[in-house]
Amino acid sequence: MSINYSERIPNNVNLASNKTLQRALEHWQPAFQDWWKEMGPEDSKALDVYLRTAISVAPDGWAHYDYVRMPDYRWGIFLTPAEAGRKVNFGAHKGDAAWQEVPGEYRSTLRRIIVTQGDTEPASVEQQRHLGLTCPSLYDLRNIFQVNVEEGRHLWAMVYLLHAYFGRDGREEAEALLERRSGDADNPRILTAFNEKTPDWLSFFMFTFITDRDGKYQLAALAESGFDPLSRTCRFMLTEEAHHLFVGESGIGRIIQRTCEMMNAHKTDDAARLRALGVIDLPTIQKYLNFHFSVTSDLYGNEISSNAASFYTNGLKGRFEETKLADDHRLGNSEYSLMEVVGDDIISKHVPALTALNERLRDDWVKDVNAGVSRWNKIPEKTGIPFRFKLPHKGFHRRIGLFAEHHLSPEGQVLSEAAWTHHHMQWLPVDEDHRFVQSLMGRVTEPGKYANWIAPPARGINGQPVNFEYVRFS
Ligand SMILES: [Fe+2]
Ligand SMILES: [Fe+2]
């Protein structure tokens, strides 16, 4: 299970035994490095960063921590070991042996699924590439770089599948993954949320808390796939993803903590006063939450989807924790309840469960996001502040699906166009909010120092103190 670092491409898939594949990936490698130089974290080339690198795929102790010069990070191909006798666990092929090669009839669908997932990985690196210049501490700078190098590795994970199983089409898709650019007018990334800007650290932490969590749910559904190499690839990606979610949740938690401390010290909840004190008022954090939650909700797609049904029936993409669910895993006769707008009301209706799998995955994700929001709310609660964060209604500010044609308030009230125009600035960040948050973004690079708007973390990385020199400037 240990990873071979003596080869040009570190891997645990015995790459050396397949010379054609090895050559193809060694050909893609310099193109990836060029992309990293051009689109990876700005001004990071000369930094030594205290990073974790995967050295094994064992659930405990897979990571090794040391200083790494950023461009020398060893991106590689790591799959969770094969499970003996693994089966297709759902859909029409349930009970068959899991596929070690791509079934011909699902080739283009699987390729599309892998490309769409793969495209999000470099996209987020591109979205975040300027943020190192305004880091609130060395600890945070190290964390964003850790997230970035691992998103780069996730691109490798998907590119390995494309090269190993999809022939020439796969190689072409692997090249195109390095050519699209987040936010580019002519050649954008595939999914809308990955073309939005991540202009400040509040957005970055919201993104890793909410949008990386979409990544977790998509990967979890693909980890159930009957196509075994995809399943094993996604399983190892999920172990890395957990840290990204931690960075987001604890980052927002530390911002809330700092604001609550200032509210108590100055006995005020006045947004203007708090802003003058250099911290982010809680209602502004709520607006960012509303924005990121609604934009990421759209990533799950239409509530009713025949594509989602066929992905499932064909054994390509399962449900979250498919094998732990107690039903027939075919869903021929089951129903699922979803919401839609009728006139001024939101009603719930039952639809065939097979067609509602996007909605089901979104609901699983919402539960998980909500649990994180409840953990945030412990912070004002403990400091005696009445404010509580709340997720908006799932139909709020949607561009895709059954709510796309309607305006809903965060409480789920159906609004007229005029009412929406009048009120939406209270619910979503406006230019003034962006400008204010931007105005706080300085650069703090002295070990142990933290920007005024964020509390230090409770503990450091890998048992190191919070004033550790997580990044060395040479
Ligand atoms: Fe990722
Ligand atoms: Fe991630």
Side-chain angles (χ1 to χ4, degrees):
M1 282 207 291
S2 70
I3 290 167
N4 188 347
Y5 271 94
S6 64
E7 293 178 37
R8 244 167 81 184
I9 300 170
N11 71 89
N12 72 344
V13 293
N14 198 10
L15 193 56
S17 70
N18 185 339
K19 292 292 173 205
T20 315
L21 177 60
Q22 187 178 38
R23 262 197 306 276
L25 284 164
E26 285 180 357
H27 183 74
W28 186 82
Q29 188 176 36
F32 169 83
Q33 282 156 345
D34 287 347
W35 167 81
W36 179 266
K37 269 182 230 145
E38 187 196 329
M39 296 311 295
E42 202 173 327
D43 273 355
S44 64
K45 286 182 196 68
L47 305 181
D48 288 309
V49 187
Y50 187 69
L51 293 177
R52 70 173 183 188
T53 304
I55 45 166
S56 125
V57 289
D60 50 338
W62 58 270
H64 171 75
Y65 290 80
D66 205 350
Y67 286 99
V68 178
R69 178 112 349 159
M70 284 277 276
D72 299 339
Y73 185 82
R74 300 297 308 277
W75 287 278
I77 299 160
F78 315 129
L79 273 63
T80 298
E83 194 185 298
R86 184 167 177 267
K87 301 261 193 276
V88 181
N89 294 314
F90 58 91
H93 304 287
K94 183 173 181 294
D96 292 0
W99 309 306
Q100 300 306 324
E101 292 294 331
V102 181
E105 68 270 42
Y106 305 141
R107 191 179 177 81
S108 64
T109 311
L110 263 175
R111 193 182 68 216
R112 193 70 196 156
I113 289 173
I114 291 167
V115 166
T116 306
Q117 177 61 41
D119 193 67
T120 66
E121 315 288 357
S124 68
V125 175
E126 292 166 359
Q127 288 170 297
Q128 296 161 12
R129 68 180 301 261
H130 303 299
L131 291 175
L133 303 180
T134 56
C135 61
S137 72
L138 287 187
Y139 167 88
D140 292 289
L141 185 60
R142 176 263 168 216
N143 282 351
I144 194 172
F145 287 160
Q146 184 72 64
V147 170
N148 293 157
V149 292
E150 285 173 353
E151 301 305 3
R153 206 206 65 74
H154 292 175
L155 172 60
W156 271 94
M158 293 295 126
V159 162
Y160 163 70
L161 295 174
L162 290 170
H163 272 261
Y165 297 97
F166 293 88
R168 174 207 266 270
D169 297 347
R171 290 193 294 279
E172 283 171 5
E173 293 283 13
E175 278 167 32
L177 283 166
L178 297 175
E179 286 160 8
R180 285 185 287 273
R181 291 286 181 270
S182 177
D184 190 282
D186 301 320
N187 196 12
R189 293 293 171 184
I190 295 168
L191 300 168
T192 308
F194 291 88
N195 288 301
E196 300 278 354
K197 283 198 162 63
T198 310
D200 55 60
W201 281 75
L202 179 57
S203 303
F204 167 69
F205 289 133
M206 283 295 177
F207 185 97
T208 38
F209 172 71
I210 291 178
T211 313
D212 278 65
R213 196 176 308 273
D214 161 64
K216 167 184 162 182
Y217 279 81
Q218 300 298 343
L219 292 175
L222 296 175
E224 304 291 340
S225 183
F227 178 45
D228 204 42
L230 175 60
S231 164
R232 292 170 53 205
T233 302
C234 290
R235 279 169 209 273
F236 191 67
M237 291 165 77
L238 281 166
T239 60
E240 292 168 313
E241 206 59 51
H243 178 65
H244 309 180
L245 303 178
F246 160 80
V247 168
E249 182 172 331
S250 60
I252 299 290
R254 289 161 51 211
I255 297 175
I256 297 169
Q257 173 78 35
R258 180 67 183 143
T259 303
C260 289
E261 285 166 9
M262 290 297 250
M263 289 172 77
N264 280 335
H266 295 267
K267 302 202 173 11
T268 184
D269 61 1
D270 181 68
R273 268 201 72 196
L274 289 163
R275 286 183 175 200
L277 290 164
V279 294
I280 307 172
D281 51 291
L282 303 180
T284 297
I285 300 174
Q286 175 70 55
K287 283 175 153 189
Y288 274 67
L289 174 61
N290 293 347
F291 175 77
H292 286 269
F293 178 74
S294 54
V295 166
T296 306
S297 281
D298 279 341
L299 287 174
Y300 292 85
N302 284 303
E303 288 83 353
I304 299 175
S305 162
S306 58
N307 272 344
S310 72
F311 292 173
Y312 186 84
T313 299
N314 296 336
L316 309 180
K317 183 177 178 183
R319 290 171 294 175
F320 180 62
E321 298 193 325
E322 180 70 45
T323 50
K324 293 186 189 165
L325 299 171
D327 56 24
D328 71 353
H329 301 279
R330 291 177 197 266
L331 304 179
N333 301 311
S334 1
E335 293 193 321
Y336 195 76
S337 143
L338 49 77
M339 288 189 243
E340 85 178 333
V341 180
V342 175
D344 286 344
D345 297 317
I346 294 170
I347 57 150
S348 77
K349 67 168 181 180
H350 290 274
V351 298
L354 257 185
T355 64
L357 288 166
N358 284 344
E359 182 66 0
R360 183 185 176 116
L361 194 61
R362 180 165 29 234
D363 285 342
D364 289 329
W365 165 82
V366 171
K367 257 180 252 153
D368 202 16
V369 180
N370 231 335
V373 172
S374 303
R375 290 190 291 272
W376 287 343
N377 279 333
K378 298 248 161 40
I379 303 165
E381 196 183 312
K382 270 195 197 131
T383 43
I385 285 165
F387 190 97
R388 297 292 179 269
F389 294 95
K390 197 165 177 276
L391 286 185
H393 189 278
K394 69 157 88 164
F396 170 77
H397 189 234
R398 292 288 303 280
R399 301 263 162 78
I400 289 177
L402 295 171
F403 292 102
E405 304 297 311
H406 303 275
H407 293 303
L408 266 70
S409 73
E411 287 72 38
Q413 198 192 352
V414 182
L415 303 174
S416 66
E417 182 80 40
W420 171 261
T421 307
H422 192 67
H423 288 292
H424 77 271
M425 304 92 81
Q426 296 160 18
W427 302 324
L428 291 167
V430 293
D431 286 350
E432 194 198 331
D433 301 319
H434 287 131
R435 271 199 302 275
F436 167 68
V437 173
Q438 197 64 55
S439 76
L440 297 179
M441 300 293 119
R443 192 183 208 202
V444 179
T445 56
E446 194 183 319
K449 289 269 183 293
Y450 288 81
N452 180 59
W453 50 270
I454 189 166
R459 60 191 69 80
I461 294 294
N462 190 35
Q464 300 290 359
V466 295
N467 62 359
F468 185 70
E469 193 176 12
Y470 288 101
V471 181
R472 286 182 182 151
F473 292 75
S474 40

